[in-house]
Amino acid sequence: MKLSWIGHSKHRSSTVGRMFAALMASLLVISAASCSPSPDNTQSASTSASTTKATGSVAIFTPSDGITLSQHTPLNKWTAFVSELSASLRTRHMDKQSISTQTQDTLDEQSRAVQDYVVNHVTQASGNSSSASSSGSGSESLIVAPVIENTSTERQFGDYLGKALQHSSSGTGTQSEGTSSPSSSASSSKSASATASSSASSDSDTESSSEQASVSRMISALNLAKKSGMHVVLLSSTLEGFTPDLFVPMSSVQQMAQVQAKQLVSKLELDKTSTENPKQIEIMLPSDSANSSKSSDTTTSSSIDQTAFAAMWEVLGPYFRNGTVVSPSALLDKNSTADSWKSVTFDASNEDSIKKELTNRLGKNSKTSGKHTRIDGILATNDYVASAVTTTLSSLGYTGTAADINPEITISGIVDNITGKKDLKKSKAPDPSVAPEGQSDSEEQSDSTASSDSSASSNSSTDSEKDGTDDRSWPIVTGYGAYLDNIPGIVDGQQWMTALEDRKTLADTLAQALALMNADQSLSTISSIASAKSNGITAPTLTHALITVSASNLKSALIDTDYVTAADAGL
């Protein structure tokens, strides 16, 4: 589905222009594979990125948003980001007529659209060669978020998930999935590419060949754009062999995975946990390989799984190794490594498959004794999986809320906090160093404002622990994507947290950078931009943190910033 233009398109082709475009298209294929980035003209220290007025023009090319029939989708979409960026540019006094946007459904369509835009730019510049100094070529910026083909599982993470689009002289292009973070290594990219290539069928070879042509066309067009004096910015994904003037990675797999793992470390207080009473954690790693075998070395899954697990294991691995964290399913143990990612991957193509997986993992006790398996935390990876996880926990008879495990908040105080009436404060009852064998007299509520629901669930949990084997307490569940229909679940404590791209801050910072580039000024005044290596390409890179949301900061993080309304949160 294609979206309408915002502003006016600058590249209406005349008959002569189209003839010239056809000639240039032929020449683009054999043009140089790369070119040197335009020099950075540093201005006086008094120039501020936040006050520089946006001049010249900006052309934005992004993928089309998919048709959304429900709220069961990540909050951040390309349309929303483009709207934020356009608004930020206009705030810096860029004329609305100087901002043009296009969306395409495929990389082939997008590469042709970018090529047409660049060729028409060169056509106009050559036609005005006598006044080239006033043509404004150096005050134009081209922003491209390459269209990528995501799998059904990858789409669960949202539109901003990045990849490395690669091509080779043999004509077999590949997409190295989920590796657009500046911290990702070149070796990981090559490994992911090799994995994808080794599993390609004859049909995928044909698709890869078509992608190869699209990637080559895009790179040639962008190189020509830089040669003509335009500034080029890549969003989310990279193109092998092309160095942009600025790269903006978005929603990297590493960030998504680590922010959730760190939340479990913090909220479960793993640094204070003893080996005699370890925390019980399950990692749910969604995969597109419905028939993948956990024991087969020949079966491969999406490299996004491998990348995500490596990031999770960097945080959680030490606790598994020292015995303070265990897996109820025994899929992970102290001998597991970053290569154990296949152990926890599962088919996440639909909610029923997620429910079946979690039921099997927690069914060890219930199948033999009819008692609930203790579970303290579930890293669900994204909100799609998290939603199915919370539904399954309820159907299995788990009760309470995430606040019962680490009650730094009270559910009764959430609404008051969101409406601005009071802060959420609650101290945590200490976790025993040894697993309880019966009811503990030392356990007591430290907050007199705890709700009756919280008290009821606490009493239920205490009664069920008399024999030390049945624990139906609700675990901490993490996710990513800020699905609108998951927000109420965060308010009522069913899902502990989610995370999302800070598109507003990102759009505003990018607008600052565009204003500087179009004015031929240095990007050094923006502290979040620095040279970084990503997927083998070193370029100025705009880095930023994700927004982490739980009930305690939902108002300030999402409602006050207009990401969602109070109604979206179920209030």
Side-chain angles (χ1 to χ4, degrees):
M1 179 181 73
K2 296 183 179 179
L3 302 178
S4 60
W5 284 72
I6 300 176
H8 295 275
S9 172
K10 294 182 51 187
H11 52 284
R12 300 179 182 277
S13 300
S14 63
T15 301
V16 175
R18 290 185 181 277
M19 294 175 63
F20 187 83
L23 175 61
M24 291 301 299
S26 299
L27 295 175
L28 281 168
V29 178
I30 59 174
S31 65
S34 63
C35 70
S36 301
S38 52
D40 221 3
N41 297 322
T42 305
Q43 302 297 310
S44 63
S46 61
T47 301
S48 170
S50 60
T51 59
T52 300
K53 292 185 177 181
T55 59
S57 63
V58 172
I60 308 169
F61 294 82
T62 60
S64 301
D65 285 349
I67 298 176
T68 301
L69 300 179
S70 72
Q71 291 183 319
H72 202 52
T73 184
L75 182 64
N76 281 330
K77 310 293 288 183
W78 280 118
T79 304
F81 179 76
V82 171
S83 178
E84 299 280 4
L85 178 58
S86 299
S88 293
L89 288 169
R90 291 195 297 272
T91 298
R92 287 171 174 75
H93 309 291
M94 177 172 279
D95 188 352
K96 183 179 181 180
Q97 308 298 326
S98 299
I99 305 171
S100 65
T101 71
Q102 288 193 55
T103 63
Q104 285 80 31
D105 297 321
T106 67
L107 184 62
D108 177 71
E109 293 175 354
Q110 187 184 57
S111 64
R112 294 180 189 277
V114 171
Q115 175 182 268
D116 288 347
Y117 182 90
V118 174
V119 167
N120 279 300
H121 166 82
V122 175
T123 302
Q124 294 173 3
S126 62
N128 298 320
S129 58
S130 61
S131 57
S133 61
S134 61
S135 64
S137 61
S139 61
E140 294 188 47
S141 290
L142 183 62
I143 303 173
V144 179
V147 177
I148 57 177
E149 295 296 327
N150 277 329
T151 64
S152 59
T153 295
E154 290 165 350
R155 285 193 290 272
Q156 296 170 9
F157 293 93
D159 287 356
Y160 303 161
L161 181 66
K163 295 184 179 181
L165 289 171
Q166 299 177 333
H167 71 103
S168 64
S169 57
S170 61
T172 55
T174 63
Q175 292 185 3
S176 178
E177 304 173 19
T179 56
S180 65
S181 168
S183 63
S184 62
S185 65
S187 60
S188 296
S189 276
K190 291 178 181 178
S191 174
S193 175
T195 300
S197 297
S198 65
S199 61
S201 63
S202 59
D203 288 340
S204 64
D205 286 339
T206 301
E207 294 175 358
S208 184
S209 178
S210 175
E211 180 184 287
Q212 159 71 23
S214 299
V215 172
S216 296
R217 184 186 302 113
M218 179 73 81
I219 291 175
S220 295
L222 296 182
N223 277 327
L224 182 61
K226 291 184 68 174
K227 287 179 180 179
S228 72
M230 298 178 67
H231 307 285
V232 178
V233 177
L234 285 183
L235 298 180
S236 188
S237 297
T238 58
L239 298 164
E240 182 187 36
F242 175 75
T243 302
D245 295 294
L246 178 64
F247 174 53
V248 184
M250 303 171 75
S251 298
S252 76
V253 175
Q254 290 91 338
Q255 281 184 303
M256 298 178 204
Q258 289 211 343
V259 72
Q260 294 179 63
K262 290 177 180 178
Q263 280 285 308
L264 288 179
V265 171
S266 172
K267 301 309 175 185
L268 293 177
E269 297 187 341
L270 298 186
D271 291 327
K272 299 179 181 179
T273 301
S274 69
T275 56
E276 289 77 16
N277 187 23
K279 296 296 184 182
Q280 313 281 326
I281 293 177
E282 283 295 324
I283 294 178
M284 308 286 289
L285 200 57
S287 171
D288 285 291
S289 298
N291 299 318
S292 65
S293 169
K294 292 180 173 64
S295 61
S296 174
D297 291 334
T298 61
T299 302
T300 59
S301 182
S302 240
S303 64
I304 188 175
D305 296 328
Q306 187 173 9
T307 304
F309 186 79
M312 298 171 188
W313 199 249
E314 183 180 343
V315 177
L316 295 176
Y319 301 100
F320 276 91
R321 287 192 291 273
N322 67 20
T324 55
V325 169
V326 297
S327 168
S329 66
L331 294 176
L332 296 172
D333 56 32
K334 63 181 181 180
N335 297 317
S336 298
T337 68
D339 293 328
S340 302
W341 58 279
K342 287 185 183 180
S343 299
V344 290
T345 57
F346 69 100
D347 172 25
S349 58
N350 57 68
E351 294 183 10
D352 286 341
S353 62
I354 300 172
K355 179 178 181 179
K356 179 180 179 181
E357 177 70 17
L358 183 59
T359 300
N360 288 337
R361 293 196 189 189
L362 299 181
K364 184 177 180 181
N365 282 353
S366 60
K367 290 178 181 178
T368 58
S369 62
K371 299 183 182 300
H372 290 78
T373 299
R374 176 185 169 186
I375 179 70
D376 297 307
I378 299 177
L379 197 159
T381 310
N382 62 58
D383 277 11
Y384 181 84
V385 177
S387 177
V389 163
T390 57
T391 299
T392 303
L393 288 171
S394 293
S395 68
L396 293 176
Y398 288 85
T399 61
T401 71
D404 297 329
I405 283 187
N406 188 342
E408 69 174 30
I409 64 171
T410 63
I411 300 304
S412 63
I414 290 176
V415 174
D416 284 340
N417 171 259
I418 291 176
T419 56
K421 293 181 180 179
K422 72 172 187 177
D423 294 330
L424 299 174
K425 294 180 179 179
K426 187 177 183 180
S427 58
K428 179 183 182 297
D431 197 39
S433 59
V434 179
E437 296 182 358
Q439 184 175 0
S440 173
D441 293 332
S442 64
E443 293 182 4
E444 61 181 8
Q445 294 293 331
S446 59
D447 190 342
S448 60
T449 64
S451 66
S452 58
D453 289 342
S454 177
S455 297
S457 63
S458 177
N459 291 335
S460 174
S461 297
T462 301
D463 291 341
S464 69
E465 291 171 4
K466 289 182 178 180
D467 57 5
T469 57
D470 187 19
D471 189 344
R472 65 184 69 198
S473 300
W474 197 269
I476 285 178
V477 179
T478 69
Y480 177 86
Y483 283 34
L484 279 177
D485 56 350
N486 281 38
I487 300 301
I490 292 177
V491 172
D492 63 25
Q494 298 301 291
Q495 180 176 334
W496 176 262
M497 59 77 61
T498 187
L500 70 156
E501 190 76 32
D502 187 0
R503 70 166 190 263
K504 293 177 181 290
T505 299
L506 184 61
D508 188 65
T509 306
L510 178 55
Q512 293 179 27
L514 292 169
L516 288 170
M517 287 191 293
N518 279 5
D520 289 326
Q521 296 178 10
S522 172
L523 297 177
S524 61
T525 52
I526 301 179
S527 59
S528 55
I529 294 179
S531 179
K533 186 174 183 179
S534 180
N535 303 323
I537 295 174
T538 301
T541 302
L542 197 168
T543 58
H544 55 286
L546 298 174
I547 297 176
T548 302
V549 182
S550 63
S552 60
N553 73 333
L554 190 146
K555 178 179 183 294
S556 60
L558 295 185
I559 297 178
D560 291 348
T561 54
D562 295 325
Y563 277 102
V564 302
T565 65
D568 292 328
L571 302 174

